[in-house]
Amino acid sequence: MKPTQSDPTVQPVPASVVATVDAADTTLSNPRWAVLALGANLGNRLETLQGAIDALGDTPGLRVKAVSPVYETAPWGVEPGTQPPYLNAVALVKTTLPPSSLLERAHAVEEAFHRVREERWGARTLDVDIVTYADVVSDDPVLTLPHPRAHQRAFVLAPWHDVDPDAQLPGHGPVADLLTALGHEDVTPRADLELRPPE
């Protein structure tokens, strides 16, 4: 379901703020790269993923630098056939937000698209996960970095590898090697679908 224009999490950011953030990309001493995984298996999945990327791009202190190809994948952690398939993608972002603020923004974007958290690994309109934040390693239960199950998930590794073939997952090594070990079972490229980085 498309959010209404009055939703504060997806309204356009004023041009003056955008200009300030663009300047921060080059003038601040601490912009960090982060990898975000996006997934949706309810509603108009592609429209939701595009809306999430656009909303992230409207975030002061954050720039979406690259968006992966789209994959269709079987739901993870549930019995086969009990949920619709997911569309998944990965976005590479550069941000001056600390990890906690980036997590808050990810949750706000999920809520704008009516994400409901009723059961673990339940079907959802939108999922936005922080996979990595620079080379930060943290076992904080609120935000564990890198994502504790990313190395087990081809639906994260495959699109991430597409958009950054030399990527490294802290503590686990090259994404290419992790993906080779896992294989591509239940992960299908959707060349007919495309996500656009924010303009």
Side-chain angles (χ1 to χ4, degrees):
M1 183 173 180
K2 197 171 183 178
T4 61
Q5 196 60 30
S6 62
D7 193 305
T9 64
V10 292
Q11 283 185 343
V13 174
S16 60
V17 175
V18 172
T20 300
V21 173
D22 283 341
D25 277 352
T26 56
T27 61
L28 288 186
S29 61
N30 64 341
R32 303 292 180 91
W33 285 96
V35 177
L36 304 180
L38 298 93
N41 75 333
L42 295 177
N44 187 324
R45 300 171 298 167
L46 186 68
E47 181 178 278
T48 295
L49 292 182
Q50 185 64 62
I53 288 167
D54 292 342
L56 290 166
D58 279 343
T59 304
L62 186 152
R63 278 286 166 269
V64 178
K65 294 296 189 179
V67 179
S68 76
V70 177
Y71 282 77
E72 189 162 62
T73 68
W76 198 87
V78 298
E79 288 295 320
T82 59
Q83 287 185 24
Y86 277 83
L87 289 185
N88 290 100
V90 160
L92 304 184
V93 306
K94 196 173 186 181
T95 185
T96 56
L97 299 175
S100 58
S101 297
L102 183 59
L103 180 64
E104 289 175 5
R105 180 56 174 165
H107 286 169
V109 172
E110 289 178 341
E111 289 166 11
F113 287 89
H114 311 289
R115 164 73 184 269
V116 177
R117 298 175 184 275
E118 291 181 343
E119 59 177 308
R120 191 178 192 193
W121 298 323
R124 70 279 314 263
T125 55
L126 178 64
D127 195 24
V128 181
D129 284 334
I130 302 174
V131 180
T132 64
Y133 181 97
D135 56 357
V136 173
V137 176
S138 169
D139 59 2
D140 184 336
V142 176
L143 176 58
T144 303
L145 291 169
H147 191 287
R149 290 173 294 280
H151 65 287
Q152 302 170 330
R153 296 178 168 181
F155 63 83
V156 172
L157 299 174
W160 186 7
H161 179 260
D162 283 344
V163 78
D164 185 3
D166 298 323
Q168 299 269 340
L169 180 61
H172 295 279
V175 168
D177 293 351
L178 296 170
L179 185 58
T180 297
L182 276 182
H184 289 69
E185 186 178 357
D186 296 325
V187 180
T188 305
R190 288 293 304 268
D192 56 318
L193 303 178
E194 184 178 5
L195 296 169
R196 303 175 310 278
E199 296 181 359

